[in-house]
Amino acid sequence: VVLAYLNFIIAPLWGFFLGGVYFVPRYETYREKNPSGGRLQALVHVLNIDIDLLETTLASVDDTTGNETTLASDDDTTGNQTPLLSEIA
């Protein structure tokens, strides 16, 4: 009975651990080839996430209007860089 419960807990994690077999070597190779890049940049590259890290981490200046983009985190202390809802629409 204990082995059955242990199997129910561990079996879903096998896919996660197996994913690490493919993820970790690609991550380490990218870090070796790009030592000046950060960990987040390596993670984004390996997972093929299409985001602009500078745009999401800094308040950027809009090229067309020259206005600074206001982020919701300008007023809070969480560091969350979420755009205001009025800017999305």
Side-chain angles (χ1 to χ4, degrees):
V1 174
V2 175
L3 289 177
Y5 285 123
L6 190 61
N7 187 32
F8 289 139
I9 294 170
I10 294 176
L13 296 175
W14 289 343
F16 175 76
F17 294 130
L18 203 62
V21 171
Y22 297 102
F23 169 76
V24 173
R26 290 183 63 201
Y27 176 82
E28 290 176 350
T29 302
Y30 184 83
R31 292 278 295 168
E32 288 174 2
K33 290 181 179 178
N34 301 300
S36 62
R39 292 182 195 141
L40 182 60
Q41 183 179 1
L43 181 68
V44 166
H45 177 77
V46 170
L47 295 177
N48 294 325
I49 300 173
D50 187 26
I51 61 170
D52 184 9
L53 292 176
L54 291 176
E55 186 176 316
T56 57
T57 57
L58 303 173
S60 62
V61 176
D62 188 8
D63 293 335
T64 58
T65 62
N67 296 331
E68 187 173 320
T69 304
T70 305
L71 298 175
S73 65
D74 290 344
D75 296 330
D76 64 13
T77 58
T78 61
N80 198 2
Q81 299 291 318
T82 307
L84 296 172
L85 291 176
S86 61
E87 293 178 357
I88 295 174

